[in-house]
């Protein structure tokens, strides 16, 4: 349905003219839309979204708005902005006039107002107000700590706390084990994970897993599988075709923090209808110690006059390990590859267009009352009647 990304040749111009009488032969090439807006699906799983975003100044503003609504636990408005951001990330051209968004899905009143403002003034006063908002600023700081979500932020904010300094200074405040680790490694964890670091960690994880299970399949998922060059963590999916056993994970020495969530999977349970539900797989939210040579003073730090202990030659990195039974591997892979928005839309599409229920474990056909087995991601898209979307096209 789309011609996205293809050069607009004269033949195509003709085809467009036949469909849209408003275009004349004199229209300069840059003015010719390379696709039909009304053909754009409201579901991001029917769109191909690469990392090449032509509308960053709009999508950044939408994401600020969405995050503020998330902090206020207003899911409807939050999703409205996330869906709009996702549509603009997919557009093969930058939006410069209101006419450019005509006919596109997910362009509600709030969204259009914001676009109009950015077109006219180059930025949005509403997004700026959010960035300067005291509550938003506090929640943004609080949630940047590993183990702190909206609920904890809300509690701290109500206690009158506003900054991380204030949180740290309040010695009577009870912190979870996870939050303590979050504060301890804060500086490392807020600095993003690079692709090179992800590759280095990948080798460590693969080696460690294979000492326990030589037949294990270890796949990097999340943003790095979608081609991102940076991330906030590294996500791995681990499975092995052999009989199930709860595998020991990693050498303790490398794990700075590890929170193992045991599998809560109940066989034959229907997939969860909740759109943002966690899955039941055994998983481990870990912080890994990645040794890395320091670029600065690297020739000196072994000399005996140097206090070697002072030189931190490692970085703390957030790693999510998800262990899945072999039969559910493909479903887990689709779920954990994301993006979050892509996953949400896949589940919404399954529910509303196919009368099926999809989650990270399975796909259930409510009409036929059967679970649909899948050995690959391609089979899942096929079950849903969708064209296959490559991981790097799932950056919705
Ligand atoms: N996911 C999921 N269920 C969860 C949490 C996440 O299915 N409870 C999916 C959605 C995206 C993917 O797992 C990875 O999650 P993140 O690491 O949060 O997202 P990301 O796209 O990898 O982003 P980042 O680059 O910031 O790590
Ligand atoms: Mg990730």
């Amino acid at each position: 349905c789309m011609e996205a990304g293809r050069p607009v040749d004269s033949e195509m111009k003709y085809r467009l003219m036949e469909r849209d009488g408003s275009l004349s032969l004199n229209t300069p090439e840059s003015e010719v839309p390379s696709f039909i807006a009304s053909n754009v699906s409201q579901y991001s799983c029917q769109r191909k979204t690469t990392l090449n975003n032509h509308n960053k100044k709009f999508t950044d503003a939408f994401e600020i708005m969405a995050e503020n609504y998330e902090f206020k636990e207003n899911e409807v408005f939050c999703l409205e902005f996330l869906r709009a951001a996702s549509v603009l990330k997919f557009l093969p051209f930058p939006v410069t006039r209101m006419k450019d968004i005509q006919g596109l899905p997910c362009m509600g009143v709030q969204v259009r107002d914001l676009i109009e403002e950015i077109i006219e003034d180059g930025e949005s006063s509403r997004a700026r107000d959010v960035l300067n908002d005291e509550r938003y600023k506090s929640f943004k700081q609080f949630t940047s700590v590993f183990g702190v979500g909206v609920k904890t932020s809300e509690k701290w904010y109500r206690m009158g706390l506003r900054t991380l300094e204030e949180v740290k200074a309040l010695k009577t405040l009870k912190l979870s084990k996870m939050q303590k680790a979050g504060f301890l490694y804060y500086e490392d964890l807020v600095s993003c994970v690079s692709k090179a670091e992800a590759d280095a960690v990948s080798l460590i994880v693969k080696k460690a897993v294979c000492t326990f299970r030589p037949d294990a399949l270890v796949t990097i998922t999340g943003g790095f599988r979608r081609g991102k060059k940076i991330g906030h963590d590294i996500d791995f999916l681990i499975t092995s075709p052999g009989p199930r056993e709860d595998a020991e994970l990693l050498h303790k020495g490398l794990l700075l923090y590890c929170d193992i969530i045991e599998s809560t999977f109940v066989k034959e349970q229907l997939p969860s209808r909740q759109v943002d539900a966690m899955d039941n797989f055994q998983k481990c939210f870990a912080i890994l110690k990645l040794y890395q040579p320091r670029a600065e003073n690297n020739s000196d730090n072994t000399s005996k006059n140097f206090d070697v202990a002072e030189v931190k030659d490692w970085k703390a990195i957030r790693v999510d390990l998800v262990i899945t039974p072999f039969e559910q591997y493909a479903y887990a892979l689709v779920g954990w590859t994301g993006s979050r928005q892509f996953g949400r839309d896949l589940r919404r599409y399954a529910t509303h267009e196919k009368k099926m229920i999809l989650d990270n474990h399975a796909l259930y056909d409510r009409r036929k009352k059967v679970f649909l087995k899948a050995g690959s991601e391609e089979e899942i898209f096929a079950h849903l009647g969708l064209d296959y979307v490559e991981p790097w096209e799932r950056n919705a």
Side-chain angles (χ1 to χ4, degrees):
C1 68
M2 301 160 298
E3 311 284 348
R6 255 214 254 156
V8 184
D9 53 34
S10 48
E11 190 200 357
M12 209 172 104
K13 242 191 275 183
Y14 260 99
R15 272 191 275 123
L16 282 166
M17 281 172 52
E18 284 163 11
R19 283 187 236 178
D20 181 352
S22 68
L23 287 172
S24 80
L25 255 182
N26 301 335
T27 311
E29 214 154 60
S30 62
E31 300 267 305
V32 179
S34 55
F35 71 99
I36 313 287
S38 57
N39 284 351
V40 175
S41 169
Q42 62 151 314
Y43 299 105
S44 61
C45 54
Q46 291 189 303
R47 308 190 294 255
K48 295 184 173 183
T49 315
T50 64
L51 289 164
N52 187 11
N53 178 0
H54 298 280
N55 289 289
K56 199 165 165 358
K57 71 177 172 191
F58 299 101
T59 59
D60 283 352
F62 293 175
E63 281 167 1
I64 291 164
M65 299 302 284
E67 191 174 38
N68 192 40
Y69 284 124
E70 188 190 342
F71 293 162
K72 293 179 169 183
E73 296 184 68
N74 183 335
E75 201 190 332
V76 174
F77 285 175
C78 175
L79 279 178
E80 183 178 337
F81 279 106
L82 290 180
R83 283 186 192 146
S86 175
V87 169
L88 291 201
K89 282 179 189 174
F90 151 84
L91 278 197
F93 57 86
V95 169
T96 56
R97 338 158 267 197
M98 289 311 279
K99 229 180 104 208
D100 292 336
I101 60 162
Q102 229 173 56
L104 288 176
C106 311
M107 298 289 128
V109 187
Q110 288 203 81
V111 167
R112 268 182 285 140
D113 284 352
L114 215 77
I115 295 179
E116 195 155 23
E117 223 187 356
I118 296 173
I119 290 175
E120 277 168 21
D121 310 334
E123 63 160 355
S124 156
S125 64
R126 262 161 278 204
R128 191 171 4 100
D129 288 348
V130 169
L131 288 177
N132 290 324
D133 180 67
E134 190 180 32
R135 190 174 181 279
Y136 175 85
K137 282 195 287 190
S138 295
F139 272 59
K140 189 78 187 153
Q141 282 188 56
F142 297 164
T143 55
S144 72
V145 180
F146 174 52
V148 180
V150 174
K151 290 277 182 294
T152 305
S153 302
E154 182 80 52
K155 199 175 84 189
W156 291 351
Y157 193 80
R158 280 191 196 184
M159 291 168 68
L161 299 167
R162 294 293 177 266
T163 65
L164 285 181
E165 296 316 310
E166 290 171 16
V167 172
K168 277 189 278 191
L170 189 62
K171 297 294 173 210
T172 51
L173 194 67
K174 189 112 182 66
L175 295 177
S176 70
K177 206 181 116 213
M178 202 181 224
Q179 292 159 355
K180 280 181 191 156
F183 276 111
L184 193 54
Y185 305 112
Y186 185 76
E187 292 306 327
D188 277 0
L189 299 185
V190 285
S191 84
C192 284
V193 183
S194 69
K195 178 75 173 63
E197 287 164 342
D199 290 338
V201 168
S202 185
L203 284 179
I204 295 169
V205 170
K206 281 180 183 163
K207 217 175 130 202
V209 169
C210 286
T211 56
F212 299 106
R213 293 299 301 254
D215 59 349
L217 197 62
V218 180
T219 311
I220 202 161
T221 63
F224 287 109
R225 184 160 185 253
R226 302 196 309 274
K228 279 175 64 176
K229 296 279 180 278
I230 51 162
H232 92 283
D233 67 357
I234 316 170
D235 308 284
F236 291 96
L237 195 60
I238 303 167
T239 193
S240 70
R244 209 184 296 186
E245 80 184 45
D246 286 345
E248 267 284 315
L249 277 171
L250 287 167
H251 297 293
K252 278 275 185 277
L254 284 177
L255 282 183
L256 295 166
Y257 171 85
C258 181
D259 185 13
I260 296 180
I261 317 283
E262 287 307 327
S263 166
T264 52
F265 188 71
V266 187
K267 225 178 172 292
E268 307 305 337
Q269 180 183 283
L270 284 191
S272 164
R273 277 159 201 252
Q274 221 184 306
V275 166
D276 273 318
M278 255 285 190
D279 50 53
N280 308 301
F281 299 127
Q282 185 191 27
K283 52 180 89 66
C284 174
F285 301 121
I287 300 176
L288 195 100
K289 190 170 191 175
L290 177 66
Y291 285 99
Q292 43 188 208
R294 281 256 155 156
E296 330 96 68
N297 60 41
N298 54 358
S299 56
D300 276 333
N301 63 16
T302 47
S303 78
K304 63 178 188 302
N305 292 335
F306 229 84
D307 188 353
V308 178
E310 295 268 302
V311 182
K312 180 167 163 272
D313 58 352
W314 53 271
K315 180 179 170 185
I317 292 188
R318 275 275 299 110
V319 174
D320 283 350
L321 303 168
V322 180
I323 296 122
T324 149
F326 197 63
E327 316 81 70
Q328 296 167 354
Y329 176 74
Y331 287 102
L333 185 58
V334 167
W336 279 88
T337 296
S339 68
R340 239 164 238 268
Q341 189 56 31
F342 191 90
R344 278 190 198 107
D345 281 344
L346 262 183
R347 292 188 288 275
R348 203 159 59 90
Y349 181 86
T351 305
H352 297 297
E353 307 297 329
K354 296 285 156 181
K355 300 278 174 288
M356 293 183 187
I357 312 172
L358 172 72
D359 68 9
N360 285 357
H361 319 90
L363 179 63
Y364 181 75
D365 187 325
R366 289 171 57 209
R367 280 189 275 228
K368 295 185 187 147
K369 296 191 168 50
V370 288
F371 284 93
L372 302 171
K373 286 193 181 12
S376 67
E377 291 185 305
E378 284 84 347
E379 284 175 49
I380 298 172
F381 283 82
H383 283 322
L384 289 166
L386 289 168
D387 289 340
Y388 184 62
V389 180
E390 297 284 356
W392 58 90
E393 297 166 334
R394 298 182 206 162
N395 287 292

